[in-house]
């Protein structure tokens, strides 16, 4: 599925205060999207996950709101040194 925001093979970026609604995925960080700060974003009514992070290093996912998505509010797999905290998740099809 297509993401509202997708990043791979880039580092040290910030995704702040975006709204990603009605996509395949809300926000997708994958394959070397390292050292990101993902903060203050809203994802809802995406057909899959609100925020999905895989195969990355050193990301911080904090203060986001992810509601009523078809998958997880936040899904993380295969990452190292990731911080996920202070997010609001509700009404997603797959519980955290």
């Amino acid at each position: 599925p297509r993401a509202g925001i997708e990043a791979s093979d880039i580092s040290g970026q910030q995704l702040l205060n975006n709204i990603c609604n009605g996509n395949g995925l809300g926000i997708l960080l994958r394959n070397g999207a390292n050292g990101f700060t993902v903060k203050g974003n809203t994802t809802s009514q995406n057909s899959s996950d609100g925020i999905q992070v895989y195969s990355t290093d050193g990301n911080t996912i904090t203060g986001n709101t992810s509601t009523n998505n078809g998958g997880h509010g936040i899904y993380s797999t295969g990452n190292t040194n990731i911080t996920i905290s202070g997010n609001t998740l509700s009404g997603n099809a797959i519980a955290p």
Side-chain angles (χ1 to χ4, degrees):
R2 303 304 291 182
I5 298 172
E6 179 177 344
S8 63
D9 297 317
I10 188 171
S11 61
Q13 303 297 309
Q14 296 183 357
L15 298 176
L16 307 174
N17 304 315
N18 297 285
I19 298 172
C20 297
N21 299 339
N23 302 287
L25 295 160
I27 296 173
L28 172 61
L29 303 181
R30 64 184 181 95
N31 301 335
N34 300 326
F36 270 69
T37 298
V38 179
K39 182 176 181 180
N41 299 286
T42 300
T43 62
S44 67
Q45 299 178 345
N46 296 288
S47 61
S48 186
D49 302 324
I51 299 173
Q52 186 180 101
V53 186
Y54 70 88
S55 297
T56 68
D57 179 60
N59 292 314
T60 300
I61 314 297
T62 187
N64 301 285
T65 301
S66 190
T67 59
N68 302 317
N69 294 289
H72 297 89
I74 298 175
Y75 180 71
S76 170
T77 187
N79 301 292
T80 55
N81 303 313
I82 190 166
T83 300
I84 300 173
S85 65
N87 299 287
T88 301
L89 311 175
S90 66
N92 299 295
I94 302 173

